[in-house]
Amino acid sequence: FTTWFNGIELNTSEYWRPAIVSDMGLCWVFHTNQTVRRPGFYGGLKFWMTLQQDDYEEFAPWAGALVWTLQPGSEPTVLKASNGAKPGKETFFPMDYTDVQRERTAPWARCKGEAPQYTQSKCRNTCYDDWVRENCGCRNLQDTSDTSLRFCERFNEDDTNCFNEILDLQDEILGNCGCDLPPCTEQLYETTLTELDASETLIASWSKEFNITEDYIRKNFISVTVNFKSMQYDKLTESKGMTFAQLLGAIGGSMGFFLGISLVSIFELLGDLIGMRLIPRLFGHKKLYGVGAHYKLS
């Protein structure tokens, strides 16, 4: 690993930590408290790495690296979309950032919790891991809840049969996890992918400098740049379609349109009824005053 952030080289061991992601084995998570100073190619995160394909196991299906862009505090998971970086390429991941705030007030709320403590993928992972432990007698590689339990093995017949059963019941299992609602607050990072071939001049110079073959560089070298497209971002705020004050205004407007009256007219009518009819009766006057009263002429 060689790492740069905002164009400054970093100590790789201080800014990368290992994380387990399913049967992909050991993955690495970059973390920093620094902020991006400028968008584009020369800002953000840039790293070089070698794949060391000579150490790959026989059943490894592909060569390259999967890159996740996640909210700080989140863990990579196979249930989250990722982008792939090919060996021998210069790969760019321009990124858009969206801050999402959903309505929390009942009965309009259609969310629960806050990311990264709660996310739908994290909820499904936990539910999935619980089901594997209870039914297969082993745990997934990313499951750290019960370290006394052995890891599930790809070539163990019982484990394989159990995982095949999981695949058949996957929709039913995940459908009963209670993970249908999104978090009330979350940060979304959407990336696109752009690739360029590594320069033949660069490959030749590295071959001489590090005393390795050009073919090795093409098969094992990866260069990745991750940064924002611009320093602007989108903020999505979910709110009630109509407040109580707006509801009263809509009711009053509809009454005025269809009945030809207004709220003032209603108060005037109530004032006439109370002042000319109810109050005189309370003081012993049996005669009616105002509209509808009958008077005897003498």
Side-chain angles (χ1 to χ4, degrees), residues 109-153:
R110 295 294 183 269
C111 63
K112 67 176 183 180
E114 294 185 2
Q117 289 76 19
Y118 166 83
T119 62
Q120 288 176 286
S121 59
K122 186 176 183 179
C123 177
R124 294 189 182 105
N125 270 346
T126 302
C127 181
Y128 182 78
D129 291 342
D130 292 343
W131 199 96
V132 170
R133 286 198 310 272
E134 294 173 3
N135 294 274
C136 300
C138 59
R139 61 188 174 105
N140 287 318
L141 290 175
Q142 79 274 9
D143 185 3
T144 58
S145 58
D146 186 0
T147 55
S148 63
L149 204 62
R150 67 177 180 86
F151 287 117
C152 299
E153 299 177 10

Side-chain angles (χ1 to χ4, degrees), residues 246-257:
Q246 291 172 332
L247 177 62
L248 288 180
I251 293 174
S254 299
M255 291 176 63
F257 180 78

Side-chain angles (χ1 to χ4, degrees), residues 45-293:
L45 171 66
K46 182 179 180 63
F47 63 90
W48 292 346
M49 64 179 297
T50 55
L51 298 177
Q52 299 176 340
Q53 287 198 51
D54 295 340
D55 297 333
Y56 278 26
E57 297 186 14
E58 294 180 358
F59 57 82
W62 57 74
L66 294 178
V67 179
W68 283 268
T69 51
L70 304 171
Q71 178 172 348
S74 302
E75 293 293 329
T77 167
V78 293
L79 297 180
K80 280 278 191 179
S82 61
N83 290 297
K86 300 177 183 178
K89 302 284 186 180
E90 178 75 43
T91 307
F92 306 93
F93 293 107
M95 185 169 54
D96 289 315
Y97 166 54
T98 303
D99 182 25
V100 180
Q101 305 287 331
R102 295 184 174 91
E103 177 61 50
R104 297 168 176 264
T105 309
W108 300 275
R110 295 294 183 269
C111 63
K112 67 176 183 180
E114 294 185 2
Q117 289 76 19
Y118 166 83
T119 62
Q120 288 176 286
S121 59
K122 186 176 183 179
C123 177
R124 294 189 182 105
N125 270 346
T126 302
C127 181
Y128 182 78
D129 291 342
D130 292 343
W131 199 96
V132 170
R133 286 198 310 272
E134 294 173 3
N135 294 274
C136 300
C138 59
R139 61 188 174 105
N140 287 318
L141 290 175
Q142 79 274 9
D143 185 3
T144 58
S145 58
D146 186 0
T147 55
S148 63
L149 204 62
R150 67 177 180 86
F151 287 117
C152 299
E153 299 177 10
R154 180 188 295 269
F155 300 108
N156 183 301
E157 184 177 354
D158 293 335
D159 293 350
T160 302
N161 293 335
C162 186
F163 274 98
N164 289 335
E165 182 182 350
I166 290 176
L167 292 177
D168 294 336
L169 300 175
Q170 187 172 12
D171 292 339
E172 180 181 349
I173 294 171
L174 296 179
N176 296 326
C177 291
C179 306
D180 298 330
L181 295 178
C184 295
T185 62
E186 64 178 332
Q187 299 170 3
L188 302 178
Y189 297 88
E190 183 178 353
T191 57
T192 55
L193 184 148
T194 304
E195 291 180 337
L196 293 175
D197 289 329
S199 165
E200 290 296 325
T201 304
L202 178 65
I203 293 176
S205 65
W206 280 2
S207 177
K208 294 179 180 179
E209 181 178 355
F210 300 108
N211 194 27
I212 53 179
T213 65
E214 294 184 9
D215 184 62
Y216 180 87
I217 295 175
R218 292 189 183 92
K219 289 182 177 179
N220 292 277
F221 172 76
I222 281 182
S223 177
V224 174
T225 301
V226 183
N227 199 14
F228 294 106
K229 292 180 181 178
S230 70
M231 300 307 291
Q232 297 178 336
Y233 70 95
D234 295 327
K235 184 172 184 178
L236 301 180
T237 303
E238 185 179 88
S239 61
K240 298 181 287 293
M242 181 177 291
T243 63
F244 182 71
Q246 291 172 332
L247 177 62
L248 288 180
I251 293 174
S254 299
M255 291 176 63
F257 180 78
F258 290 105
L259 303 179
I261 61 175
S262 65
L263 196 60
V264 175
S265 302
I266 293 176
F267 281 115
E268 288 179 349
L269 180 59
L270 292 175
D272 290 342
L273 290 176
I274 294 172
M276 296 185 177
R277 301 209 174 220
L278 297 181
I279 293 179
R281 285 180 177 274
L282 291 176
F283 288 94
H285 297 281
K286 295 183 179 180
K287 294 182 179 180
L288 297 177
Y289 297 90
V291 179

